[in-house]
Amino acid sequence: MALIVQKFGGTSVGDIEKIKHVATIAKAAHDAGNKVVVVVSAMAGETNKLVDFCSALMDPPDPREYDMVVSTGEQVTIGLLAMALKVMGVEAVSLLGSQVPIRTDDVHIKARIQKIEGGKIRRNLKANRIVIIPGFQGINARGDVTTLGRGGSDTSAVAVAAALKADVCEIYTDVEGIFTADPNVVIDARKISRISYDEMLEMASQGAKVLQIRSVEFAKKYNVPLHVRSTFTGAEGTWVTKEDEEMENVVVSGVTCDKNEAKISILRVPDKPGIAAKIFGPIAEANINVDMIIQNISIDGFTDLTFTVTRTDLTQALEIVRRVAEKIGAKDVLTEEKVAKVAVIGTGMRSHSGIASKMFKALAKEGINIMMISTSEIKVSCIIERKYSELAVRVLHDAFDLGTETV
Ligand code: ADP
Ligand code: ASP
Ligand code: MG
């Protein structure tokens, strides 16, 4: 008998028929003698609708009230799934984030889980019930509802799995696993059978939205095996686990693209010690993540600084940067929103050279200009014009021979 956490994304619970189908999957695991906890997202499109309601009234919306509104999509699906299971004769109970409770920090809109108290879940499991928990939501020390950032249900599921020391966390979604590239963009993308936490972490942070980054961080930290698989076919999906020798032999595992990037340039910044801290300090304090940073060589004691943030953070980041730029006597602040980040990722890069040059050549051949470059031990990523996103992903997927073999 195992303890299984199953997470179902928005498409998987998109209507009543689909919720009934999800109930059959949870029931099958329960009938097989396992203890089952299910984490669900809101119905597909529902969270977007709620976000739009907020923006229509107040832009940017009040963070506390935003969380109050957008967390409700998941309240609907936990109740419906519990009913679907009861109709099938299975004991089930839904619990809100505040009832579990799932405790988070105070940062509304992108809260981080601090602690999950497992007692109530365990008592219900012991009473042979399937426990259904909403993804994406938690409660802060003040008792206010918080949300975990878009795609946050993955993180809820993995955090619950870690807290309960579950044997596996199954992430059910609308594709059959993790592919060498987004299967909705690259037709011959190949399903990866096993991938390491580190590679998956890079893929997620480079835009493969199939798993939220924080969920992979949790999985790695607490060693929770993830099985990403389809809700709609019974096929074996992708296992995300600790690295092993076989994984090291793969040079490039995947190509990703992130269109949610924006570029900010500060022109003629005095090139003095402490300036970077003055710029990036307040940005960090506002909980805005800066991704790539480039500083040009300085001429006459001045330099240009360019960096990227997620597009959703652009307005807030710009406000801060304009204020600081004026204080430090920089000449101007420019932004570019029509950019995207493409990346190639693979553990084998640690021991293989030539990946970056192959990537640059492949992009150049299509006339795609590279604006910024960033590398890590297992990744090379480039900022390019957004209109070339899909083309760049396909070209790189081909250049590294990642596709399914054709006969
Ligand atoms: P859910 O609603 O189940 O959480 P998401 O839409 O968040 O699903 O994530 C699944 C989607 O992730 C897929 O439909 C696919 O388009 C996208 N995706 C991007 N990159 C990849 C990848 N490398 N492998 C699989 N899916 C990917
Ligand atoms: N419903 C939330 C969203 O759309 C959380 C999730 O689906 O993971 O972002
Ligand atoms: Mg998702």
Side-chain angles (χ1 to χ4, degrees):
M1 187 176 77
L3 201 165
I4 303 176
V5 175
Q6 301 183 325
K7 179 257 170 178
F8 293 89
T11 320
S12 310
V13 292
D15 58 38
I16 295 298
E17 284 313 308
K18 289 193 176 122
I19 289 178
K20 284 188 193 164
H21 176 63
V22 163
T24 63
I25 297 176
K27 180 178 185 298
H30 187 254
D31 286 350
N34 301 300
K35 291 194 184 304
V36 181
V37 177
V38 184
V39 175
V40 283
S41 293
M43 289 182 173
E46 216 37 50
T47 310
N48 284 346
K49 208 165 86 186
L50 296 167
V51 170
D52 290 346
F53 284 155
C54 294
S55 311
L57 260 174
M58 189 178 182
D59 199 14
D62 178 271
R64 180 187 180 276
E65 304 311 331
Y66 170 98
D67 280 352
M68 193 64 96
V69 176
V70 302
S71 61
T72 57
E74 275 75 8
Q75 182 163 347
V76 173
T77 45
I78 55 168
L80 290 175
L81 181 58
M83 285 193 244
L85 282 161
K86 282 170 195 276
V87 168
M88 289 175 187
V90 185
E91 277 293 313
V93 62
S94 63
L95 297 173
L96 283 168
S98 55
Q99 293 175 305
V100 173
I102 297 175
R103 302 202 185 277
T104 72
D105 63 13
D106 278 342
V107 184
H108 282 290
I109 303 179
K110 43 183 161 183
R112 293 168 79 95
I113 295 178
Q114 289 177 330
K115 191 170 193 285
I116 295 181
E117 287 171 31
K120 199 163 191 167
I121 301 177
R122 280 200 197 91
R123 283 194 293 282
N124 278 291
L125 289 174
K126 218 169 170 187
N128 206 25
R129 294 186 190 111
I130 292 182
V131 182
I132 306 160
I133 298 173
F136 188 48
Q137 63 171 252
I139 182 173
N140 67 18
R142 269 185 249 120
D144 290 331
V145 180
T146 52
T147 63
L148 309 178
R150 298 304 305 272
S153 298
D154 299 326
T155 302
S156 310
V158 181
V160 166
L164 298 174
K165 299 195 171 53
D167 296 284
V168 59
C169 180
E170 298 182 327
I171 307 281
Y172 286 88
T173 184
D174 57 1
V175 287
E176 284 197 339
I178 317 282
F179 284 69
T180 48
D182 186 339
N184 290 317
V185 173
V186 179
I187 297 164
D188 69 340
R190 200 170 31 82
K191 183 164 76 184
I192 301 169
S193 57
R194 279 158 3 98
I195 189 167
S196 69
Y197 292 125
D198 285 331
E199 274 174 310
M200 194 57 232
L201 213 48
E202 285 284 14
M203 283 190 67
S205 65
Q206 300 302 316
K209 70 162 183 166
V210 58
L211 286 176
Q212 202 199 30
I213 307 169
R214 286 280 292 149
S215 71
V216 190
E217 284 172 2
F218 262 109
K220 182 182 174 188
K221 187 167 171 194
Y222 296 101
N223 211 0
V224 181
L226 305 183
H227 185 189
V228 181
R229 57 190 309 186
S230 167
T231 307
F232 307 107
T233 74
E236 177 87 359
T238 301
W239 284 89
V240 188
T241 59
K242 261 198 251 174
E243 189 173 327
D244 61 30
E245 270 171 38
E246 202 182 298
M247 293 175 186
E248 276 168 41
N249 294 334
V250 183
V251 182
V252 171
S253 305
V255 178
T256 58
C257 174
D258 191 349
K259 295 184 188 174
N260 190 23
E261 292 263 321
K263 190 158 77 80
I264 300 181
S265 299
I266 318 179
L267 307 184
R268 255 183 96 77
V269 179
D271 194 8
K272 287 193 300 210
I275 289 287
K278 277 203 178 107
I279 296 169
F280 295 111
I283 295 179
E285 274 159 35
N287 287 302
I288 295 171
N289 271 338
V290 171
D291 188 12
M292 292 190 202
I293 305 177
I294 288 185
Q295 183 177 337
N296 293 355
I297 52 160
S298 105
I299 300 171
D300 302 332
F302 290 94
T303 183
D304 295 337
L305 250 174
T306 301
F307 60 94
T308 60
V309 294
T310 49
R311 222 160 12 124
T312 30
D313 285 333
L314 180 64
T315 316
Q316 204 192 351
L318 256 185
E319 251 172 52
I320 298 170
V321 171
R322 290 217 167 98
R323 201 170 352 108
V324 178
E326 207 182 304
K327 251 193 239 161
I328 60 177
K331 189 177 159 209
D332 205 356
V333 177
L334 305 178
T335 60
E336 172 61 86
E337 275 197 73
K338 291 188 179 143
V339 295
K341 180 172 66 172
V342 285
V344 296
I345 292 139
T347 319
M349 272 186 213
R350 289 195 196 117
S351 48
H352 285 75
S353 55
I355 305 299
S357 68
K358 194 168 179 178
M359 178 179 191
F360 303 154
K361 258 187 223 153
L363 293 175
K365 208 170 145 211
E366 296 297 324
I368 301 173
N369 188 36
I370 300 170
M371 300 178 200
M372 295 171 91
I373 300 164
S374 154
T375 61
S376 77
E377 236 192 341
I378 61 165
K379 155 216 92 187
V380 185
S381 62
C382 299
I383 296 287
I384 59 168
E385 266 188 84
R386 190 173 316 143
K387 67 177 178 191
Y388 293 126
S389 304
E390 278 82 14
L391 175 64
V393 170
R394 287 192 195 109
V395 160
L396 293 172
H397 198 261
D398 276 352
F400 288 98
D401 280 331
L402 296 178
T404 39
E405 282 159 41
T406 42
V407 195

